[in-house]
Amino acid sequence: MRMKDKVCVVTGGSSGIGEAIARLFAKEGGQVAVVDVDEANGQRVVDAIRSQGSEAILVRADVADEAEASQALLGVTQHFGKVDVLVNNAGVSAVGDVAACTPTDWDRVMRVNVRGVYLMSHFAVPIMRQQGSGTIINMSSTIAVIGLQARAAYAASKGAVLALTRAMAADHSHENIRVAAILPGTVYTPFVEGYLKRHYADDMEGAVETLKRRQLNQELMTPEDVAYAALYLASDEARFALGTALIIDGGVSAAKVF
Ligand SMILES: NC(=O)c1ccc[n+]([C@@H]2O[C@H](COP(=O)([O-])OP(=O)(O)OC[C@H]3O[C@@H](n4cnc5c(N)ncnc54)[C@H](O)[C@@H]3O)[C@@H](O)[C@H]2O)c1
């Protein structure tokens, strides 16, 4: 029960990595607020958590909308009385190099991935400051530290999330607000599956095999593999993980094998 009595807000908790984090935190005794624009899947996650005997609520909010982000955190504090952990996980992607990426796509990715993290943190920090404690975990990506073809906007957004994480750690560690980032490699979620279906519909199996070959252990990473990293960073055991950038990527950024 590593999250016992902790109120945890998980953005993008209706799907993929966020869903796995919400379920694991609840299993470990946390009270969970799923914040997402996808209400149907959010309700599915909340119902599943409740059926296991844990507490969860769904808050429909676009994290990149100022009023909705503010309302979301107000709603959580009204319901649970506090916010111990904020996982800024909601994210979107776009495919294309800098020439192919349209200004519309650039703005859409930056809006959710960067403005969304900023806004949720902007409204969470005063709550945590008043409580005298809190933990914020930002979902970056290995793409923040190694290049990947055809992901210009997405890479820039995740680099910004990593830089913001370190700036926030510098600003708030002395207030007992811990801030850290997770940098996952490729995780098999609806996010990645959707991309493969759009681009490799005629050979999904081949595309999945190519993904596997990129990993040092030749396996596909699951959302749960990332959720356990979030569990560590959110737990009291991580009290010295300040501004930490935790890479969980099957070794892709660590070594190259031929
Ligand atoms: N899947 C990967 O390979 C991978 C790798 C590295 C980092 N990440 C990051 O992990 C996070 C989760 O990715 P995933 O693969 O689980 O994606 P996913 O698409 O399965 O889930 C993302 C969730 O975010 C929600 N969301 C999107 N925009 C939102 C908004 N404006 N406000 C509130 N909710 C919103 C979606 O409705 C969805 O439920 C993202 O930040 C992503 O960039 C993913």
Side-chain angles (χ1 to χ4, degrees):
M1 301 297 271
R2 289 159 78 187
M3 302 304 287
K4 194 167 165 4
D5 299 328
K6 286 194 197 293
V7 173
C8 311
V9 176
V10 183
T11 75
S14 299
S15 172
I17 296 169
E19 173 176 349
I21 292 173
R23 284 172 179 260
L24 182 61
F25 282 13
K27 200 172 132 201
E28 291 285 336
Q31 297 159 304
V32 173
V34 169
V35 176
D36 206 297
V37 284
D38 180 348
E39 282 186 272
N41 276 310
Q43 197 55 55
R44 176 183 56 77
V45 174
V46 164
D47 289 346
I49 290 173
R50 287 181 181 157
S51 73
Q52 307 285 318
S54 301
E55 272 190 78
I57 59 166
L58 170 65
V59 183
R60 202 227 72 93
D62 173 353
V63 293
D65 180 282
E66 183 179 349
E68 292 187 24
S70 167
Q71 275 300 317
L73 283 157
L74 192 67
V76 175
T77 46
Q78 277 169 354
H79 187 89
F80 288 120
K82 58 178 183 162
V83 177
D84 296 304
V85 178
L86 167 64
V87 184
N88 280 314
N89 163 80
V92 294
S93 186
V95 176
D97 61 29
V98 75
C101 179
T102 64
T104 304
D105 268 348
W106 178 271
D107 290 346
R108 179 177 59 83
V109 170
M110 288 296 173
R111 181 180 176 279
V112 178
N113 295 9
V114 186
R115 181 181 161 89
V117 173
Y118 149 68
L119 277 177
M120 290 298 289
S121 305
H122 174 72
F123 292 116
V125 162
I127 297 168
M128 293 176 171
R129 185 179 281 150
Q130 205 179 9
Q131 293 167 181
S133 67
T135 302
I136 299 178
I137 300 167
N138 295 328
M139 202 56 71
S140 178
S141 165
T142 44
I143 205 169
V145 291
I146 56 164
L148 181 67
Q149 283 181 315
R151 297 289 186 288
Y154 185 66
S157 75
K158 292 302 178 181
V161 169
L162 179 58
L164 177 60
T165 300
R166 289 172 170 152
M168 285 167 60
D171 286 333
H172 304 298
S173 295
H174 75 280
E175 300 176 298
N176 199 25
I177 300 172
R178 286 197 300 107
V179 189
I182 302 178
L183 282 62
T186 304
V187 188
Y188 204 67
T189 65
F191 188 88
V192 169
E193 197 180 9
Y195 167 77
L196 293 182
K197 277 186 182 148
R198 279 192 302 281
H199 296 271
Y200 303 96
D202 49 338
D203 186 18
M204 277 289 281
E205 230 170 88
V208 168
E209 280 311 309
T210 305
L211 282 185
K212 283 186 182 173
R213 275 199 302 275
R214 289 210 305 231
Q215 315 289 118
L216 290 187
N217 57 3
Q218 314 273 295
E219 282 182 40
L220 276 186
M221 193 156 52
T222 69
E224 288 69 30
D225 293 314
V226 182
Y228 278 104
L231 177 64
Y232 163 66
L233 289 175
S235 75
D236 296 336
E237 295 147 16
R239 67 193 185 99
F240 267 70
L242 305 172
T244 297
L246 184 52
I247 294 178
I248 307 287
D249 71 346
V252 171
S253 62
K256 201 167 191 161
V257 285
F258 297 97

